[in-house]
Amino acid sequence: MPTHLTVQTDADGIAILTFDSPGKAPNVLSEESLAELRDAVGSLIHDPAVTGIILTSAKPDFLVGADLKMLLAAAQMTRAEFLERVRSLQQLTRTLETGGKPVVAALNGTALGGGFELALACHARVVADDPAIRIGLPEVSLGLLPGGGGTQRLPRLIGAREAIGLITQGKTVPPRKALELGFVTEVVARDALLDRARALVRSIEPIQPWDKKGYRIPGGEVHSPAGLETFVGTNAMITRETWGNYPAPRLATYAIYHGLQLPIDQGLKIEARGFVELVFHPSTRNMVRTLFFSMGSAKRLEHRPAGIPKASYRQVGILGAGLMGHGIAHAAALNGIDVVLLDVDRAAAERGKERVGAILADAVKKGRLTEEKAAATLDRIRPTADFADLAGSSLVIEAVFERRDLKAEVTRQAEAVIGPEAIMGTNTSTLPVSGLAETSVRPEQFIGLHFFSPVEKMALVEVILGAHTSDTTLAQALDFVQAIGKTPVVVQDGRGFFTSRVFGTYLTEGVAMLGEGTGAALIDHAGRLAGMPMGPLTVADMVNLDLSHKIRLQTEADLGASYAPHPADPIIEFMVQQGRYGQKVKAGFFDYHERDATLWPLLETHYPKAAIQPSVELVQQRLLHIQAIETLRCMEEGIVSRPEDADVGSILGWGFCPFHGGVASYIDRIGTRRLADECDALADRFGERFRPPALLRDLARDDRSLYPA
């Protein structure tokens, strides 16, 4: 069996435990590595020749957390059995810190989750001075809380106020910030890391502050005025941010609050019970599956066509320097790729580059980027109005307005100057890629690359295959998405593809309810309570109602008699006729002021509220079920082939209820039989758009799931 840990003891009796997972995999706390660590610690603590212990890593990272496969295995255990497993890890860390020998963590790289919790159990932590290193407890982002002592040690080390913010928000920080906050002991040059760790082993007292008599929590006890203010404020913040949908921040706060009133060994028991409750919570398995496994698979391009050499990109061309174009240019240039940014004239292209400069300046101001990196990034962007400058680009992405004739014209001009192996991409959000590819002289090298706004913040790229797109083009397009640090999902062609098509149903269902007499505030608040990042009317304003109207007109023109009118159509058309286009003109369903937004006072005049309002639960059901039904239609039509892609795309693309694990996981959580019955009832009341497709009928017959059982 391959080893995950090596032990070497020097002439001074200092034992160096080095984590080194087999192969290229990063270090994680797995069943195997924990067993080896348990044996090593037990042996070293009882060896009189050993004077101290250093924990470090042979990998670029220290430890990036626990192996989440252990959580999936919990499904085969009882709660009591899994609780015992969690307690055994906590007991290992207590053995480390109470064994009477000084223990130092030499963090040569990133230490997250269980890796950082192990470091917290050491008597000192020295970190390499590298801003790329991240340290923290991000468990809540996966629906968990720190279960290896993090909720008990971090607040005892730096105080509840700072610790609770880091833990409940899953924040990670670079070494210098960690030093400032007080949870690392020193930050030193990388080549001095082990020497400094040895010096600390020789000088520190082998006892933790919380195990000393008379210990007091930094910043005040839980029931001090400062402590009460911290916990009251935290609970209010959690309610505001999560709308009650995410149990992890609440249970983490519970563990901190109650644990700090007890000796640490009792506090660890509270933490363990909270961790187990979350592991067995219905949402956690879905969140871990999607946010860790499925998203990791997408980032690693595990479904990239095999046997095709990996493409590298020296220069790409971007057609259109507007909102999407300059955002894509920023992403490429930031990752070392030269960009030719083309627009109708040089001045327009220059404005696009200036917008990139503003994004970079903001990143510098917030400490996320150095001035040197920002300057180098901006230098990689060459604004132009001359298509000839695209020569030498291995990829060109058009990001012009959603007009078929305009996209056709810029495609023709670009393909006339780029090399025969170059790929042509379109950033269309709704128009079928196969139709746009009809203009191309190389349709096998034409592909959809649907970015999301704002590009600098949105991680997803929806990669759309046209009718003739080759495997080589797909593979090389995926290589580009990976090169610029984005996460791809691959879908087949079709109007609206997957993300725009399903996301649009959320928006239009909210607008339709307004026309039925449902109050606007109820509609938007129900969307938030259901777990969406914004209410549907707010989203409609943000997307801009005139754009929604133009897309509907184009769709109606393309489909002709087969177009199925939606009850939202006349409402959106009316708003556009009133000049209320949305946020961009500060007037839509809401009026937009300098710091806030209020409902348009005349909205209720045009769309009066019914005397009897629907329940919040019914509004939520309509807003989520309509997205589920449209997702199933996309799967039935082959637009999306895998539930993993639907989940990743829905969370990263429009923020669909991460606590459900995405829209496909939502379908499985509801159950296909129940979903079919409820949608039939909704269709009878509100329209055929809710009627279950054949795929759902087939699944519901045996109550089968989208994911394998």
Side-chain angles (χ1 to χ4, degrees):
M1 179 181 293
T3 59
H4 297 73
L5 189 70
T6 61
V7 182
Q8 290 183 320
T9 305
D10 65 18
D12 294 329
I14 298 175
I16 300 177
L17 277 68
T18 304
F19 289 95
D20 189 7
S21 294
K24 296 181 180 180
N27 290 328
V28 294
L29 290 176
S30 62
E31 295 281 6
E32 296 79 13
S33 62
L34 281 170
E36 292 180 35
L37 180 62
R38 189 173 289 107
D39 290 344
V41 168
S43 175
L44 295 171
I45 289 293
H46 294 95
D47 187 344
V50 173
T51 58
I53 301 169
I54 295 172
L55 301 182
T56 192
S57 165
K59 300 280 189 180
D61 293 322
F62 176 68
L63 280 163
V64 295
D67 184 354
L68 292 179
K69 292 176 182 176
M70 292 191 295
L71 300 185
L72 300 183
Q76 312 304 320
M77 301 181 187
T78 66
R79 287 179 180 242
E81 289 170 337
F82 192 72
L83 177 62
E84 184 58 33
R85 179 168 293 188
V86 176
R87 291 289 294 137
S88 71
L89 170 59
Q90 293 180 338
Q91 288 157 7
L92 170 61
T93 59
R94 283 299 278 161
T95 298
L96 197 66
E97 66 185 358
T98 61
K101 294 186 177 178
V103 185
V104 174
L107 306 179
N108 61 300
T110 289
L112 299 176
F116 179 46
E117 290 179 285
L118 182 61
L120 284 171
C122 299
H123 303 107
R125 289 150 296 283
V126 57
V127 192
D129 192 2
D130 180 350
I133 290 174
R134 307 300 295 182
I135 305 169
L137 301 170
E139 284 89 342
V140 294
S141 64
L142 292 175
L144 298 165
L145 59 76
T151 68
Q152 303 306 304
R153 292 189 177 91
L154 189 61
R156 283 174 166 83
L157 189 64
I158 66 173
R161 186 180 187 85
E162 292 290 353
I164 202 168
L166 291 165
I167 291 171
T168 60
Q169 297 174 53
K171 289 183 179 178
T172 64
V173 300
R176 290 284 171 185
K177 183 65 176 178
L179 180 65
E180 177 187 328
L181 291 170
F183 54 80
V184 302
T185 311
E186 294 183 14
V187 176
V188 301
R190 185 175 295 278
D191 57 6
L193 187 66
L194 284 179
D195 286 343
R196 188 59 197 145
R198 288 187 179 93
L200 285 170
V201 166
R202 298 186 187 102
S203 63
I204 60 175
E205 187 180 8
I207 186 171
Q208 296 282 29
W210 44 85
D211 287 321
K212 293 180 181 178
K213 187 175 181 179
Y215 165 76
R216 291 290 181 267
I217 298 168
E221 301 294 324
V222 166
H223 290 296
S224 69
L228 290 173
E229 180 184 348
T230 293
F231 285 96
V232 170
T234 297
N235 281 319
M237 182 273 293
I238 290 171
T239 300
R240 183 190 69 211
E241 296 297 326
T242 70
W243 291 68
N245 289 316
Y246 295 84
R250 176 179 56 80
L251 282 175
T253 303
Y254 179 94
I256 296 168
Y257 178 79
H258 290 282
L260 292 187
Q261 299 176 62
L262 299 167
I264 190 169
D265 289 303
Q266 299 305 310
L268 289 171
K269 291 180 180 179
I270 293 174
E271 175 188 270
R273 288 196 294 269
F275 185 79
V276 171
E277 181 175 338
L278 288 171
V279 168
F280 283 86
H281 192 277
S283 69
T284 302
R285 181 182 178 88
N286 290 348
M287 288 184 70
V288 170
R289 179 176 61 198
T290 299
L291 298 176
F292 185 79
F293 290 106
S294 297
M295 212 162 286
S297 173
K299 289 178 180 178
R300 291 189 297 272
L301 309 185
E302 288 187 359
H303 299 282
R304 179 185 185 274
I308 297 168
K310 188 175 181 65
S312 59
Y313 290 87
R314 183 183 61 81
Q315 176 184 297
V316 299
I318 309 295
L319 310 183
L323 178 66
M324 300 306 297
H326 81 254
I328 301 169
H330 165 268
L334 187 65
N335 288 279
I337 300 171
D338 293 338
V339 176
V340 177
L341 184 60
L342 184 145
D343 213 309
V344 291
D345 55 45
R346 178 64 182 263
E350 289 281 5
R351 286 194 295 273
K353 182 174 180 177
E354 289 170 5
R355 294 186 190 105
V356 174
I359 296 170
L360 295 169
D362 184 62
V364 171
K365 181 179 178 181
K366 293 177 178 176
R368 297 172 182 165
L369 200 65
T370 64
E371 291 186 2
E372 294 77 15
K373 178 72 179 288
T377 298
L378 203 58
D379 284 345
R380 293 190 186 101
I381 299 175
R382 176 158 52 111
T384 185
D386 188 351
F387 278 84
D389 289 338
L390 296 171
S393 299
S394 49
L395 168 68
V396 173
I397 303 172
E398 65 83 359
V400 300
F401 295 118
E402 289 286 272
R403 277 177 33 207
R404 190 174 281 104
D405 59 338
L406 178 59
K407 289 179 179 291
E409 179 58 28
V410 298
T411 296
R412 280 193 293 266
Q413 293 190 63
E415 288 189 342
V417 297
I418 57 178
E421 303 300 321
I423 297 171
M424 190 74 206
T426 174
N427 181 52
T428 181
S429 59
T430 57
L431 299 175
V433 169
S434 298
L436 297 176
E438 290 174 1
T439 305
S440 174
V441 296
R442 52 182 94 176
E444 72 283 354
Q445 292 164 235
F446 195 97
I447 194 166
L449 294 173
H450 177 202
F451 288 80
F452 295 76
S453 179
V455 178
E456 67 271 15
K457 295 180 180 179
M458 299 295 281
L460 184 70
V461 177
E462 188 176 25
V463 180
I464 307 115
L465 299 176
H468 302 289
T469 304
S470 70
D471 280 354
T472 298
T473 298
L474 170 59
Q476 293 178 348
L478 290 172
D479 293 338
F480 173 72
V481 174
Q482 186 182 63
I484 62 172
K486 302 294 185 183
T487 303
V489 293
V490 179
V491 303
Q492 297 293 325
D493 196 15
R495 186 171 300 278
F497 323 120
F498 169 64
T499 55
S500 296
R501 179 171 163 179
V502 179
F503 167 64
T505 64
Y506 175 64
L507 181 160
T508 54
E509 195 61 30
V511 175
M513 283 190 272
L514 182 71
E516 295 168 8
T518 303
L522 171 57
I523 295 167
D524 256 30
H525 284 304
R528 294 295 308 276
L529 283 167
M532 299 295 289
M534 290 180 286
L537 301 181
T538 300
V539 168
D541 274 1
M542 180 173 288
V543 169
N544 292 313
L545 296 167
D546 59 329
L547 176 60
S548 298
H549 182 55
K550 289 174 184 175
I551 290 172
R552 192 265 289 182
L553 292 177
Q554 181 70 66
T555 303
E556 193 171 358
D558 289 347
L559 298 182
S562 64
Y563 176 74
H566 193 284
D569 292 348
I571 300 171
I572 293 173
E573 184 171 2
F574 170 78
M575 296 295 286
V576 170
Q577 289 170 348
Q578 299 298 306
R580 300 191 67 86
Y581 299 157
Q583 279 191 5
K584 69 178 180 182
V585 296
K586 302 187 183 302
F589 292 114
F590 294 83
D591 284 327
Y592 294 88
H593 316 292
E594 185 175 346
R595 294 188 178 180
D596 62 0
T598 56
L599 282 166
W600 181 30
L602 294 180
L603 190 61
E604 198 169 322
T605 301
H606 295 292
Y607 300 102
K609 286 171 59 175
I612 299 176
Q613 292 289 292
S615 68
V616 173
E617 292 75 18
L618 177 60
V619 177
Q620 289 176 303
Q621 185 185 76
R622 287 178 65 176
L623 292 173
L624 297 189
H625 279 21
I626 194 66
Q627 297 178 74
I629 285 292
E630 199 64 28
T631 295
L632 287 160
R633 291 194 183 104
C634 286
M635 299 186 81
E636 184 176 81
E637 295 167 21
I639 304 294
V640 179
S641 58
R642 303 168 61 249
E644 294 89 344
D645 291 331
D647 278 340
V648 171
S650 63
I651 289 178
L652 293 185
W654 69 91
F656 182 93
C657 311
F659 67 94
H660 283 309
V663 67
S665 290
Y666 171 76
I667 292 166
D668 280 1
R669 184 169 175 181
I670 294 294
T672 53
R673 181 174 293 164
R674 174 184 157 193
L675 181 64
D677 290 343
E678 290 178 353
C679 285
D680 270 326
L682 291 172
D684 292 341
R685 291 183 64 184
F686 303 110
E688 288 302 304
R689 62 188 178 277
F690 281 102
R691 195 68 69 190
L695 173 61
L696 180 55
R697 297 280 190 213
D698 182 53
L699 292 168
R701 195 171 297 114
D702 302 312
D703 203 18
R704 287 182 288 125
S705 302
L706 292 175
Y707 282 95

